[in-house]
Amino acid sequence: MSGNAGALERHGFREPKVAYWNLSASTLYEMSLQRGEGRRAEGGPLVVLTGQHTGRSPNDKFIVKDEATAPHIWWDNNKAMAPEAFATLHADMMDYAKGKELFVQDLVGGADPAHRLPVRVVTELAWHSLFIRNLLIQPDSAMQANFDPAFIVVALPGFKADPARHGCKTSTVIAIDFSRKMVLIGGSTYAGEMKKSVFTILNYLLPPERVMPMHCSANVGEKGDVAIFFGLSGTGKTTLSADSSRTLVGDDEHGWGKNGVFNFEGGCYAKVIRLSREAEPEIYATTERFGTLLENVVCDEAGKLDLDDDRYTENTRAAYPIHYIPHASESGCAAHPANVIMLTADAFGVLPPIAKLTPSQAMYHFLSGFTSKVAGTERGLGKEPEPTFSTCFGAPFMPRHPSVYGNLLRDLIDKHDCDCWLVNTGWTGPVTADRKRMPIKVTRALLTAVLNGSLAESKWRSDPMFGFRIPVAVAGVDSAILDPRNNWADKAAYDAQAKKLACMFRDNFKQYLPYVDERVLKAADQIAKAAE
């Protein structure tokens, strides 16, 4: 519906041309086409291009520093913006929006009614409104009729920030004010900024409620056993959780509280570059459906998609409602996890495809957050994987100090006696131009063995460098691949590479030593000594 422009005045908007409220997916789809924002592809998905921003812009993200936030934000990781700069930015963005068509969606972040966040999202692009409608949770009719937003997200990509005037770095800005309960996004058409802003908000609000916000996917087996998969973009969170034998809770963002695990979202945002119909049939099928939004996917004049073409970016994406996955949870809620899986993409070729972690080792690897960023997920990344440590497997979205999240997770793992695993979906063998990533069939076979309990019956060996346990043999998996050293003809070169990685772990973890307990210190000390 339209004509509710006056209701936006409380947020500072003045005289928009028209405000369209809570339009349906089909209406937003048609308006996107009419406005020239996208194209229809075979099967019905809407294909859009995001221009120069084909991934997030973490260097352009800010949090307002005021009396309320100053003591609680991890300022070593988050850039501060003065309240006065945010006020100027807000006023200028409101001036920009004057006389424009706006699209409004009233939505919810958080499937657990005890912890849901009502969010109003205002955009200048119809397809942005479709994106966020796909990704967040639609409230029931009673809630929508009396919707009272706890936060507002404003996305105006046509607005260009002025660093001197707005206290930012470039013409792109993502600014969060927890006191005004508002997010302002300007200068970027990449829709993922909206979804990750909501995630950042929940990451700030939930820990005081003893709820652990997690950058993870989650699924449930037939017996009700829950698994969560931590990991950064490109490590396989979405792919590995979309298992036809298990119910999908969600693919990217969850909370873990006293009632169990719950999805923050109502949709999925899957990478689709070189997506395989055979290896990932459920996700592939969404690229052929009306209502799916495809970002930066190549589409010819006849509407035929080419998922292998990366001419715009490696970070091609599909945004679709979670019910497009046939075995998705209707409630978005599940019990407490039995297995906690940490996904990493090791570009050094050192880590095994799977390792069993003690709870203290799990805390060490959670706080370390080692992986390799893959091309396209952030501005400035090249073609080759870039090794990095992203604490809590999501540092760009963590406003509080990592110890807050680490201690919460430690307590939950202890309380619910979870099994913990490190799974390498990256590379194996020496660094060469033609080496390949870990076969997805191998990773799936190993995870199946974890989730059905058969891996517990395996024989194990202890890794001399990292201390975790590695299975010697797993049914259906070539035993040679289980020991990464076997994949190096030059064993001395492997040992040197492993020591190099251990040194990186040691040096990175020094910043967390004052915040961890004796058990985690012991795990850290083992790797530090191995690195000497």
Side-chain angles (χ1 to χ4, degrees), residues 174-244:
I174 305 97
I176 304 175
D177 189 330
F178 284 105
S179 296
R180 296 180 65 156
K181 302 185 185 307
M182 180 175 286
V183 180
L184 300 175
I185 303 171
S188 174
T189 310
Y190 181 67
E193 298 287 11
M194 293 185 289
K195 121 185 187 77
K196 290 304 187 187
S197 292
V198 175
F199 185 38
T200 303
I201 294 166
L202 288 165
N203 283 337
Y204 182 74
L205 297 179
L206 290 180
E209 300 178 24
R210 301 300 297 168
V211 175
M212 173 66 185
M214 304 177 293
H215 191 208
C216 73
S217 58
N219 62 25
V220 188
E222 292 181 358
K223 297 180 180 179
D225 59 297
V226 178
I228 58 176
F229 303 78
F230 285 101
L232 289 172
S233 176
T235 57
K237 285 195 319 300
T238 297
T239 296
L240 295 172
S241 58
D243 181 335
S244 60

Side-chain angles (χ1 to χ4, degrees), residues 238-462:
T238 297
T239 296
L240 295 172
S241 58
D243 181 335
S244 60
S245 67
R246 297 173 64 85
T247 298
L248 177 67
V249 182
D251 82 320
D252 192 46
E253 302 169 5
H254 292 79
W256 184 0
K258 65 179 182 179
N259 299 321
V261 170
F262 62 97
N263 195 358
F264 286 168
E265 302 182 308
C268 301
Y269 192 35
K271 290 192 73 170
V272 295
I273 190 68
R274 291 177 286 279
L275 191 67
S276 164
R277 187 190 297 271
E278 292 71 31
E280 302 169 75
E282 294 88 357
I283 299 174
Y284 192 97
T286 69
T287 67
E288 301 175 321
R289 288 193 63 167
F290 177 87
T292 293
L293 184 67
L294 297 176
E295 279 185 337
N296 300 310
V297 173
V298 173
C299 179
D300 68 16
E301 293 299 322
K304 185 176 178 59
L305 298 173
D306 185 350
L307 299 181
D308 295 331
D309 195 326
D310 64 356
R311 73 180 65 176
Y312 302 121
T313 179
E314 283 274 332
N315 193 37
T316 57
R317 295 273 181 168
Y320 50 87
I322 195 169
H323 66 258
Y324 279 17
I325 299 295
H327 46 93
S329 167
E330 293 183 5
S331 69
C333 298
H336 298 284
N339 287 283
V340 174
I341 298 158
M342 299 181 186
L343 303 171
T344 182
D346 172 25
F348 285 88
V350 165
L351 296 179
I354 195 164
K356 182 76 164 62
L357 304 175
T358 65
S360 57
Q361 289 170 339
M363 287 305 94
Y364 180 89
H365 284 279
F366 178 72
L367 288 173
S368 297
F370 170 71
T371 192
S372 301
K373 294 179 182 179
V374 294
T377 55
E378 294 180 6
R379 291 191 72 196
L381 288 180
K383 291 282 187 180
E384 293 303 312
E386 179 182 306
T388 188
F389 290 86
S390 184
T391 187
C392 308
F393 294 98
F397 325 117
M398 300 297 169
R400 296 181 183 269
H401 191 273
S403 60
V404 172
Y405 308 105
N407 290 335
L408 265 174
L409 185 61
R410 176 201 63 201
D411 293 346
L412 286 163
I413 286 175
D414 283 348
K415 182 176 181 179
H416 299 287
D417 193 25
C418 305
D419 286 329
C420 302
W421 310 85
L422 183 69
V423 173
N424 176 22
T425 61
W427 293 261
T428 187
V431 179
T432 59
D434 59 348
R435 67 174 178 163
K436 299 185 183 300
R437 287 191 70 163
M438 195 72 64
I440 189 171
K441 289 183 178 180
V442 169
T443 304
R444 286 198 183 278
L446 293 170
L447 287 174
T448 296
V450 165
L451 299 176
N452 67 22
S454 63
L455 192 59
E457 302 173 4
S458 298
K459 292 182 178 180
W460 301 81
R461 68 175 182 86
S462 180

